[in-house]
Amino acid sequence: MHTFFKKELLKLMRNKITLSILYVYYNTPEEIRNSVRSIVRECSGITYEIIIVNNNSPVNLPTLLPKDKIKIIVNSTNQGFGSAVNQAAKIAQGEFLIILNPDTLVTKGAVKKLLSKLQRNHTIGIIGPCLTNAQGEILPTAGKMPLLPMGIVLFSSLKNLWPFSRFSAAYSLQKSDYGREICVDVVGGACLFLKRSIFKKVEGFDQRFFMYFEEADLCYRV
């Protein structure tokens, strides 16, 4: 190969972005600052970019570092969560997307472990981490697909009546061990990790969902 083309190929390989981290910002200045710090720390050694959609937040987006890694989209109106993520995904260049809530802190080794899992196992559509609260308690952040008739029971007063309570337990996977790897219908929207090509193939989030249940619909189509 000609030396010039070798140099250009090496340059392209160095500039190739592995991860695009997508945030939707709305009134969480301290949270997003801390979250960005944690993701930057955990992306050491990985080529990445951060894309933040300011969804017409009344509270200004704080100054964030590193500025050379961050792209910001400013909306004049609140477009809703799914629509804003779609905006970010359209300009994303990473092979993989992390859709991350601003109030999340990324713990040591989490990004590289999830990335490695996706790179090695091509049958995975979407992957999410185990999430904990500030006290270290594991949160139920996955579930069954809320299809009919289960959906009618789950989101009405029927869920509090016997024998329908078992539907609620089944939906939130209450008997599952969140401390180990499990296969689920729906991954919680606080952190979704998937290939950009898959997100593009299913045409991203359905923008008719302004907020809530858009991740269930995305998981269903994936």
Short mmCIF file of all heavy atoms in Angstrom, two decimals, residues 13 47 88 93 99 103 105-106 117-118 121 123 131 142 154-155 159 164 170 190 210 222:
data_model
loop_
_atom_site.label_atom_id
_atom_site.label_comp_id
_atom_site.label_asym_id
_atom_site.label_seq_id
_atom_site.Cartn_x
_atom_site.Cartn_y
_atom_site.Cartn_z
N MET A 13 -8.68 5.58 11.23
CA MET A 13 -8.85 4.63 12.33
C MET A 13 -8.74 5.34 13.67
O MET A 13 -9.48 5.04 14.61
CB MET A 13 -7.80 3.51 12.22
CG MET A 13 -8.04 2.57 11.06
SD MET A 13 -6.72 1.36 10.85
CE MET A 13 -6.93 0.35 12.32
N THR A 47 -12.54 6.11 22.12
CA THR A 47 -12.91 7.31 21.35
C THR A 47 -14.41 7.54 21.51
O THR A 47 -15.21 6.65 21.28
CB THR A 47 -12.55 7.16 19.87
OG1 THR A 47 -13.13 5.96 19.36
CG2 THR A 47 -11.04 7.10 19.67
N ALA A 88 -30.32 13.90 18.57
CA ALA A 88 -28.92 13.63 18.90
C ALA A 88 -28.37 12.47 18.06
O ALA A 88 -27.25 12.53 17.56
CB ALA A 88 -28.79 13.32 20.39
N GLN A 93 -21.87 9.98 15.56
CA GLN A 93 -20.94 9.29 14.68
C GLN A 93 -20.41 7.99 15.27
O GLN A 93 -19.69 7.25 14.61
CB GLN A 93 -19.76 10.21 14.36
CG GLN A 93 -20.16 11.50 13.66
CD GLN A 93 -18.97 12.41 13.42
OE1 GLN A 93 -17.98 12.00 12.80
NE2 GLN A 93 -19.04 13.63 13.91
N ILE A 99 -27.65 5.97 25.63
CA ILE A 99 -28.70 6.94 25.94
C ILE A 99 -28.77 6.99 27.46
O ILE A 99 -29.16 6.02 28.10
CB ILE A 99 -30.04 6.53 25.31
CG1 ILE A 99 -29.89 6.40 23.79
CG2 ILE A 99 -31.12 7.55 25.66
CD1 ILE A 99 -31.04 5.69 23.12
N ASP A 103 -29.26 12.31 35.52
CA ASP A 103 -29.12 12.09 36.96
C ASP A 103 -28.44 10.76 37.29
O ASP A 103 -28.56 10.24 38.39
CB ASP A 103 -30.49 12.16 37.65
CG ASP A 103 -31.46 11.10 37.15
OD1 ASP A 103 -31.15 10.44 36.14
OD2 ASP A 103 -32.53 10.93 37.77
N LEU A 105 -24.88 8.41 37.60
CA LEU A 105 -23.43 8.42 37.77
C LEU A 105 -22.90 7.07 37.31
O LEU A 105 -23.39 6.03 37.74
CB LEU A 105 -23.06 8.65 39.25
CG LEU A 105 -23.42 10.02 39.83
CD1 LEU A 105 -23.07 10.06 41.32
CD2 LEU A 105 -22.70 11.13 39.09
N VAL A 106 -21.92 7.09 36.43
CA VAL A 106 -21.38 5.87 35.85
C VAL A 106 -20.27 5.33 36.74
O VAL A 106 -19.30 6.04 37.03
CB VAL A 106 -20.85 6.13 34.42
CG1 VAL A 106 -20.37 4.84 33.80
CG2 VAL A 106 -21.94 6.77 33.57
N LYS A 117 -19.34 -6.53 26.06
CA LYS A 117 -20.42 -7.50 25.91
C LYS A 117 -21.10 -7.35 24.55
O LYS A 117 -21.37 -8.34 23.86
CB LYS A 117 -21.44 -7.28 27.03
CG LYS A 117 -22.50 -8.36 27.13
CD LYS A 117 -21.94 -9.61 27.77
CE LYS A 117 -23.00 -10.68 27.90
NZ LYS A 117 -22.46 -11.94 28.43
N LEU A 118 -21.36 -6.11 24.14
CA LEU A 118 -22.01 -5.87 22.85
C LEU A 118 -21.09 -6.24 21.68
O LEU A 118 -21.55 -6.73 20.65
CB LEU A 118 -22.43 -4.41 22.73
CG LEU A 118 -23.77 -4.00 23.34
CD1 LEU A 118 -24.03 -2.53 23.07
CD2 LEU A 118 -24.91 -4.83 22.80
N ASN A 121 -21.01 -10.24 21.64
CA ASN A 121 -22.27 -10.97 21.46
C ASN A 121 -23.17 -10.19 20.51
O ASN A 121 -23.83 -9.23 20.90
CB ASN A 121 -22.95 -11.17 22.81
CG ASN A 121 -24.13 -12.12 22.72
OD1 ASN A 121 -24.74 -12.28 21.68
ND2 ASN A 121 -24.46 -12.77 23.83
N THR A 123 -25.92 -11.06 19.19
CA THR A 123 -27.35 -11.36 19.28
C THR A 123 -28.07 -10.40 20.22
O THR A 123 -29.29 -10.43 20.31
CB THR A 123 -27.59 -12.81 19.77
OG1 THR A 123 -27.10 -12.93 21.11
CG2 THR A 123 -26.87 -13.82 18.87
N LEU A 131 -28.76 -0.88 38.00
CA LEU A 131 -28.77 0.47 38.57
C LEU A 131 -29.05 0.40 40.07
O LEU A 131 -29.84 -0.42 40.53
CB LEU A 131 -29.85 1.32 37.91
CG LEU A 131 -29.71 1.58 36.41
CD1 LEU A 131 -30.87 2.44 35.91
CD2 LEU A 131 -28.39 2.26 36.09
N ALA A 142 -35.99 -2.99 34.78
CA ALA A 142 -36.31 -3.77 33.58
C ALA A 142 -37.68 -4.37 33.80
O ALA A 142 -38.22 -4.33 34.92
CB ALA A 142 -35.26 -4.84 33.32
N LEU A 154 -52.14 -3.32 34.78
CA LEU A 154 -51.01 -2.66 35.43
C LEU A 154 -51.23 -1.17 35.65
O LEU A 154 -50.77 -0.62 36.66
CB LEU A 154 -49.74 -2.85 34.58
CG LEU A 154 -49.15 -4.25 34.55
CD1 LEU A 154 -48.05 -4.32 33.51
CD2 LEU A 154 -48.60 -4.62 35.91
N PHE A 155 -51.92 -0.53 34.73
CA PHE A 155 -52.03 0.92 34.80
C PHE A 155 -53.46 1.37 35.11
O PHE A 155 -53.92 2.40 34.64
CB PHE A 155 -51.51 1.53 33.49
CG PHE A 155 -50.12 1.05 33.18
CD1 PHE A 155 -49.89 0.18 32.12
CD2 PHE A 155 -49.05 1.42 33.98
CE1 PHE A 155 -48.63 -0.30 31.86
CE2 PHE A 155 -47.78 0.95 33.72
CZ PHE A 155 -47.55 0.09 32.66
N LYS A 159 -54.80 -3.29 39.49
CA LYS A 159 -53.53 -3.90 39.92
C LYS A 159 -53.48 -4.15 41.43
O LYS A 159 -52.68 -4.96 41.90
CB LYS A 159 -52.36 -3.01 39.50
CG LYS A 159 -52.28 -1.69 40.25
CD LYS A 159 -51.07 -0.90 39.80
CE LYS A 159 -51.00 0.43 40.55
NZ LYS A 159 -49.84 1.23 40.10
N PHE A 164 -55.08 -9.94 40.58
CA PHE A 164 -54.32 -9.21 39.57
C PHE A 164 -52.94 -8.76 40.06
O PHE A 164 -52.10 -8.35 39.26
CB PHE A 164 -55.12 -7.99 39.09
CG PHE A 164 -56.41 -8.35 38.43
CD1 PHE A 164 -57.62 -7.95 38.99
CD2 PHE A 164 -56.43 -9.11 37.27
CE1 PHE A 164 -58.82 -8.30 38.38
CE2 PHE A 164 -57.63 -9.45 36.66
CZ PHE A 164 -58.83 -9.04 37.22
N ALA A 170 -45.10 -9.83 38.11
CA ALA A 170 -44.49 -10.40 36.90
C ALA A 170 -43.94 -9.31 36.00
O ALA A 170 -42.86 -9.45 35.42
CB ALA A 170 -45.52 -11.23 36.15
N ALA A 190 -33.25 4.74 31.77
CA ALA A 190 -32.20 5.55 32.39
C ALA A 190 -30.85 5.34 31.72
O ALA A 190 -30.02 6.25 31.67
CB ALA A 190 -32.10 5.24 33.88
N PHE A 210 -44.39 11.36 24.07
CA PHE A 210 -43.70 12.57 24.53
C PHE A 210 -42.73 12.22 25.66
O PHE A 210 -41.59 12.68 25.70
CB PHE A 210 -44.71 13.61 25.01
CG PHE A 210 -44.08 14.91 25.43
CD1 PHE A 210 -43.73 15.87 24.49
CD2 PHE A 210 -43.81 15.17 26.77
CE1 PHE A 210 -43.13 17.06 24.87
CE2 PHE A 210 -43.22 16.36 27.16
CZ PHE A 210 -42.88 17.31 26.21
N VAL A 222 -37.02 -3.37 18.49
CA VAL A 222 -35.68 -3.97 18.35
C VAL A 222 -35.77 -5.48 18.44
O VAL A 222 -35.16 -6.20 17.64
CB VAL A 222 -34.72 -3.41 19.43
CG1 VAL A 222 -33.44 -4.25 19.48
CG2 VAL A 222 -34.37 -1.95 19.12
#
